[in-house]
Amino acid sequence: MKKIAIELKWGIIFFAIILLWTVFEKSIGLHDERIDKHYILTNFFAIPAIIVYVLALLDKRKWLGGTMTWSQGFLSGLVIAVIVSLLSPIGQYLTHAYLSPEYFPNVIALSVEQGKLTQEQAEAYFNLNSYIKQSMIGAIMMGAITSAIVAIFTRKNQT
């Protein structure tokens, strides 16, 4: 467990930031009156996500004694992504049961109103089970990509 203590810490921090971001989105109306802007503005979450990965890998490098190869950084980032993926069902449940229970009805209505999906298609896509699967897969995929890139910049070989 001590071997992945840094990753566990940063996975939990990342999870907390996801919840804070959700509260932020809700507070500026992206889950109701400005839901039509949600699909664009939610992408700005990449900024805090990258910052967290940079801080996490710098922390890992420090824990490793000041040096870290690309593969060590990448592997550390992947472990963080797995932790975030495993926590994501909890986040989705909290979001849709407590923080923003109106999100699914609102996004379904918008999708149908705009003619992008039928009612049945929208209901099949915008629901808790679908979002749990999407968030788990997304955490692994985006975590792997972010880890691969951030590890390039946070690696430091012995001199």
Side-chain angles (χ1 to χ4, degrees):
M1 192 60 131
K2 187 174 180 173
K3 201 172 188 180
I4 63 163
I6 298 292
E7 291 82 1
L8 189 58
K9 173 180 108 174
W10 285 100
I12 292 168
I13 289 170
F14 195 97
F15 176 71
I17 290 173
I18 289 171
L19 292 178
L20 288 172
W21 183 267
T22 302
V23 170
F24 168 71
E25 283 186 350
K26 168 93 170 132
S27 71
I28 64 170
L30 293 180
H31 294 189
D32 38 58
E33 65 264 7
R34 293 187 185 98
I35 198 161
D36 60 321
K37 308 280 189 268
H38 182 262
Y39 77 100
I40 295 169
L41 298 177
T42 197
N43 292 312
F44 284 100
F45 179 72
I47 296 167
I50 291 167
I51 291 169
V52 168
Y53 268 86
V54 169
L55 294 173
L57 294 189
L58 288 173
D59 196 17
K60 183 66 173 190
R61 184 175 78 188
K62 181 179 167 189
W63 186 83
L64 289 169
T67 62
M68 181 175 69
T69 64
W70 176 86
S71 59
Q72 287 173 314
F74 177 65
L75 185 59
S76 179
L78 274 182
V79 172
I80 293 168
V82 168
I83 292 165
V84 172
S85 178
L86 293 173
L87 291 172
S88 66
I90 297 166
Q92 289 299 321
Y93 176 76
L94 292 173
T95 294
H96 299 292
Y98 299 105
L99 295 174
S100 191
E102 72 285 354
Y103 176 77
F104 287 137
N106 289 342
V107 75
I108 289 168
L110 177 70
S111 298
V112 172
E113 178 185 304
Q114 291 180 338
K116 293 181 179 179
L117 299 171
T118 66
Q119 183 73 28
E120 295 76 27
Q121 291 169 324
E123 288 174 2
Y125 185 78
F126 298 111
N127 64 68
L128 184 59
N129 286 334
S130 174
Y131 267 46
I132 286 173
K133 290 175 191 170
Q134 291 176 53
S135 67
M136 292 183 79
I137 293 167
I140 300 288
M141 289 175 35
M142 295 310 295
I145 293 166
T146 304
S147 298
I149 295 167
V150 171
I152 293 168
F153 297 101
T154 57
R155 70 183 176 199
K156 186 174 183 184
N157 296 324
Q158 285 182 316
T159 53

